[in-house]
């Protein structure tokens, strides 16, 4: 667990299934474009139970790290932070994150990405972190920039949201 002023980052547990499903369902429109797979895997409590078991196995095997974000005074999940696309030989990984619409704009995700970057560098031994974001996702662009990630390039047709044509995405990187 990583504790910050008003929020904390914790491993998902089975008791989180309802809260996780509620977060995803209540933010369907918000998450559908850039988190369609995570959303699809959490549309019911039983779906979220399966997702949590999978995510904990991925942590065990070090293939992906998915953690819950909560306010300190609540058990409810308000977001996720995910370290994925890990290449242990190159010591590189991609950060992805989402937060409940009611919690956006408070600066929490910036704090979380800063702290989680330290964790990825110091505890996991990574050398480079990436954030891949669409140019219209202003909040996520600001998080990347405030956390000292530097723009690298445009990734052509990198992401295809449900029912849309492939989108070009912006690649940001932070080196240890």
């Amino acid at each position: 667990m990583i504790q910050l002023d008003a929020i904390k980052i914790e491993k998902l547990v089975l008791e989180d299934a309802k809260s996780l499903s509620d977060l995803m369902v209540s933010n369907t429109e918000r998450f559908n474009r850039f988190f369609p797979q995570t959303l699809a895997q959490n549309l019911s409590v039983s779906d979220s139970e399966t997702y949590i078991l999978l995510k904990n196995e991925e942590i065990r095997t070090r293939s992906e790290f998915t953690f819950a974000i909560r306010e300190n005074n609540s058990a409810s999940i308000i977001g996720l932070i995910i370290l994925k696309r890990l290449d242990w030989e190159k010591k590189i990984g991609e950060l992805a994150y989402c937060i409940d619409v009611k919690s956006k704009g408070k600066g929490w995700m910036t704090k979380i990405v800063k702290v989680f970057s330290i964790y990825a560098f110091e505890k996991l031994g990574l050398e480079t972190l990436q954030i891949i974001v669409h140019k219209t996702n202003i909040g996520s662009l600001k998080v990347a920039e405030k956390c000292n990630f530097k723009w690298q390039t445009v990734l052509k047709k990198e992401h295809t949201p449900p029912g849309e044509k492939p989108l070009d995405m912006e690649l940001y990187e932070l080196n240890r």
Side-chain angles (χ1 to χ4, degrees), residues 75-127:
S76 296
I77 296 173
I78 62 164
L80 296 173
I81 185 152
I82 304 166
L83 179 57
K84 61 184 191 172
R85 290 186 178 178
L86 289 157
D87 183 328
W88 292 107
E89 285 184 26
K90 294 180 181 174
K91 297 185 178 186
I92 191 168
E94 177 191 341
L95 284 180
Y97 42 84
C98 62
I99 196 160
D100 183 62
V101 68
K102 293 177 270 185
S103 298
K104 75 174 193 162
K106 296 180 180 181
W108 290 347
M109 196 54 74
T110 298
K111 290 178 182 179
I112 289 165
V113 169
K114 283 181 180 178
V115 168
F116 202 79
S117 296
I118 293 167
Y119 168 80
F121 291 143
E122 293 181 2
K123 301 290 186 195
L124 300 177
L126 295 177
E127 296 291 332

Side-chain angles (χ1 to χ4, degrees), residues 5 18 22 26 28 31-32 51-52 55 60 63 71-72 83 86-87 111 116 122-123 126 140 149 155:
D5 296 337
K18 181 174 181 347
D22 289 348
S26 67
T28 296
F31 295 158
N32 189 52
Y51 179 86
I52 290 166
K55 295 303 160 184
R60 190 188 71 71
S63 60
E71 290 185 65
N72 283 336
L83 179 57
L86 289 157
D87 183 328
K111 290 178 182 179
F116 202 79
E122 293 181 2
K123 301 290 186 195
L126 295 177
S140 193
F149 282 70
L155 302 173

Side-chain angles (χ1 to χ4, degrees), residues 2-176:
I2 300 171
Q3 186 114 15
L4 302 168
D5 296 337
I7 48 179
K8 56 190 170 186
I9 305 166
E10 296 180 314
K11 188 174 174 183
L12 290 162
V13 294
L14 280 176
E15 292 79 16
D16 290 327
K18 181 174 181 347
S19 179
L20 179 57
S21 179
D22 289 348
L23 168 72
M24 290 292 144
V25 171
S26 67
N27 286 275
T28 296
E29 188 175 315
R30 180 173 166 79
F31 295 158
N32 189 52
R33 191 165 196 216
F34 297 113
F35 273 82
Q37 293 174 339
T38 305
L39 176 62
Q41 293 174 307
N42 288 285
L43 294 176
S44 71
V45 173
S46 64
D47 288 346
S48 289
E49 288 171 347
T50 301
Y51 179 86
I52 290 166
L53 291 171
L54 172 65
K55 295 303 160 184
N56 285 326
E57 177 62 16
E58 289 173 347
I59 289 172
R60 190 188 71 71
T61 61
R62 296 172 53 95
S63 60
E64 188 169 295
F65 294 80
T66 302
F67 292 96
I69 302 166
R70 310 174 204 279
E71 290 185 65
N72 283 336
N73 59 354
S74 174
S76 296
I77 296 173
I78 62 164
L80 296 173
I81 185 152
I82 304 166
L83 179 57
K84 61 184 191 172
R85 290 186 178 178
L86 289 157
D87 183 328
W88 292 107
E89 285 184 26
K90 294 180 181 174
K91 297 185 178 186
I92 191 168
E94 177 191 341
L95 284 180
Y97 42 84
C98 62
I99 196 160
D100 183 62
V101 68
K102 293 177 270 185
S103 298
K104 75 174 193 162
K106 296 180 180 181
W108 290 347
M109 196 54 74
T110 298
K111 290 178 182 179
I112 289 165
V113 169
K114 283 181 180 178
V115 168
F116 202 79
S117 296
I118 293 167
Y119 168 80
F121 291 143
E122 293 181 2
K123 301 290 186 195
L124 300 177
L126 295 177
E127 296 291 332
T128 303
L129 293 175
Q130 298 179 324
I131 293 176
I132 297 173
V133 61
H134 192 261
K135 63 185 177 186
T136 61
N137 189 343
I138 303 303
S140 193
L141 288 171
K142 286 181 180 178
V143 168
E145 290 167 357
K146 287 180 182 178
C147 293
N148 297 316
F149 282 70
K150 303 296 181 214
W151 182 87
Q152 301 297 309
T153 190
V154 174
L155 302 173
K156 297 291 185 186
K157 299 182 180 181
E158 173 69 14
H159 175 70
T160 306
E164 294 185 42
K165 292 181 179 177
L167 300 174
D168 295 345
M169 303 291 281
E170 308 295 321
L171 172 63
Y172 286 79
E173 288 186 349
L174 179 67
N175 295 301
R176 184 176 183 159

